[in-house]
Amino acid sequence: MMLDIFSKMSLMDITKIFSLLRPKEDEEDNCQQLNKAVAEDDDKHLADLLSQEQYRKCINSRSGWGIPSTPLKTAAAHGHLRCLELLLAYGAEVDTLDVKAQTPLFTAVSGKHLGCVSALLKAGADPNGSQYNNCSPVLTAAREGDVDILKELLYYGAETDVQAKIPVWASNATTCRGPLYIAAIYGHLECFKLLLLYGADPDYNCKDKKILARIKQSNTVLDTCLKYRCQSEYIKLLIDFGADVYIPMVITDKIREQDEGIMLVLRERVFPKTLMSQIRLAIRKYLSTAQKLDMIDLLDLPQMLKNYLKYTT
């Protein structure tokens, strides 16, 4: 249907449509001046421009070669915090998308600009980025091993079990590749622990039943850590946070009989968790389901028990 419509359109019709989509020359020039001031980190000149209504009108307009960007995204990409805060103060839309469906927050995370990430989150940016983007801020931070940025995202409510956006029909055993998997494979132990502390599922790092239903074989985080021979610290953390040690396939290769990770799993199968440890897991699971893990400090418990629930000594 759409192809028939386009086939009947003349070149003049198509040109007219694109001309309507393009911003007016004056507006485009104003936007370019805003972007130029931001790119040069000239916050004084930017403030002068934004004091004029003609420039404020195009604060959310896009300009530039390649992928046109809003001034806010330009500030996020360069890590120019003063300009970014100024744009937010003048009402720049915090979650505008570019043609790749990337938000300014995603851009700041990719550039490892912690100050900009914090400012955008405080201004109300969605910590999960755009639902139309294949990737997410959390997946990016976990891959890069950026603990401070990951901590900011999780503090503001980012999903710990987020998955790359893949159609359900394309799902298979390899699609359960949440931030836990990524942090383990890339060797980012602190990110790995942080995700678990904020409630990441220690088995599949996924809560999407449609995806889980299509997995045909064991593909847990624990199984992945064993396959990639991650350090024993990863195995210990998964066990401490309640990973099911009966799901992974036991690797029986004689060369790996003394593998520390496998020995930890086998030992856990023989010796059950203490009652205190099981109670901690039950409380954390309840709070995580209610999205209230951050309320541990408000519980009417001795500080020593609160620390135990938070895995701090």
Side-chain angles (χ1 to χ4, degrees):
M1 181 69 178
M2 291 298 294
L3 289 175
D4 291 338
I5 294 174
F6 281 116
S7 63
K8 295 176 182 178
M9 293 173 66
S10 67
L11 180 60
M12 185 176 294
D13 292 329
I14 296 173
T15 304
K16 186 176 180 180
I17 290 173
F18 276 97
S19 67
L20 291 173
L21 292 173
R22 285 176 57 84
K24 297 178 181 178
E25 287 187 14
D26 290 344
E27 182 180 328
E28 187 172 6
D29 182 60
N30 290 344
C31 184
Q32 286 178 353
Q33 288 193 53
L34 287 177
N35 264 328
K36 184 174 183 293
V38 172
E40 294 174 353
D41 200 17
D42 192 343
D43 58 308
K44 292 181 180 179
H45 182 45
L46 180 63
D48 180 56
L49 293 175
L50 291 174
S51 67
Q52 305 171 55
E53 187 176 354
Q54 67 186 71
Y55 290 99
R56 290 197 300 274
K57 284 182 178 179
C58 58
I59 194 172
N60 295 311
S61 299
R62 297 171 179 80
S63 69
W65 294 97
I67 301 176
S69 299
T70 63
L72 188 66
K73 188 194 172 183
T74 301
H78 288 83
H80 294 165
L81 180 58
R82 291 172 301 180
C83 290
L84 183 136
E85 290 176 333
L86 191 59
L87 289 163
L88 290 172
Y90 273 92
E93 292 180 18
V94 73
D95 278 329
T96 53
L97 304 181
D98 62 16
V99 294
K100 290 185 175 181
Q102 295 177 352
T103 62
L105 176 64
F106 182 88
T107 303
V109 170
S110 299
K112 299 186 177 183
H113 303 306
L114 177 59
C116 291
V117 169
S118 299
L120 289 165
L121 289 168
K122 288 176 184 176
D126 187 338
N128 295 306
S130 168
Q131 62 176 322
Y132 303 108
N133 190 0
N134 289 337
C135 197
S136 79
V138 165
L139 288 170
T140 301
R143 184 190 67 223
E144 297 300 321
D146 209 319
V147 180
D148 293 332
I149 285 180
L150 182 60
K151 188 179 295 184
E152 281 288 291
L153 294 169
L154 296 176
Y155 176 79
Y156 279 91
E159 295 178 32
T160 55
D161 295 311
V162 64
Q163 302 288 309
K165 305 296 190 303
I166 298 175
V168 174
W169 56 264
S171 300
N172 53 41
T174 64
T175 59
C176 264
R177 284 291 182 267
L180 267 184
Y181 286 92
I182 293 173
I185 292 172
Y186 281 85
H188 301 313
L189 183 61
E190 290 304 312
C191 289
F192 190 82
K193 182 177 181 180
L194 192 61
L195 288 161
L196 288 169
L197 282 168
Y198 274 86
D201 175 48
D203 288 325
Y204 289 101
N205 195 196
C206 176
K207 291 187 174 73
D208 191 321
K209 293 181 179 179
K210 291 182 179 179
I211 292 178
L212 292 173
R214 298 177 72 93
I215 298 176
K216 299 179 180 180
Q217 60 182 350
S218 172
N219 194 38
T220 63
V221 181
L222 186 52
D223 198 42
T224 297
C225 287
L226 292 175
K227 288 178 183 177
Y228 284 88
R229 303 196 179 195
C230 296
Q231 299 172 13
S232 60
E233 284 80 0
Y234 291 90
I235 310 299
K236 291 176 183 176
L237 281 170
L238 287 171
I239 291 173
D240 285 344
F241 280 87
D244 190 341
V245 296
Y246 297 96
I247 295 179
M249 297 178 290
V250 178
I251 301 175
T252 57
D253 188 342
K254 290 184 178 180
I255 299 177
R256 299 196 61 192
E257 282 182 354
Q258 301 303 316
D259 186 295
E260 187 177 357
I262 293 177
M263 296 302 291
L264 285 169
V265 173
L266 296 177
R267 191 180 303 122
E268 185 65 18
R269 289 182 174 185
V270 176
F271 300 103
K273 294 184 183 299
T274 64
L275 180 59
M276 193 168 180
S277 179
Q278 292 184 51
I279 291 173
R280 173 170 64 181
L281 290 172
I283 292 174
R284 286 185 62 87
K285 184 176 181 180
Y286 173 79
L287 292 174
S288 179
T289 303
Q291 297 184 334
K292 292 183 178 180
L293 267 175
D294 59 336
M295 306 291 283
I296 289 177
D297 283 323
L298 300 180
L299 296 175
D300 187 16
L301 293 171
Q303 189 60 47
M304 182 177 68
L305 290 180
K306 292 179 183 178
N307 291 340
Y308 182 73
L309 287 174
K310 295 188 295 182
Y311 288 87
T312 57
T313 54

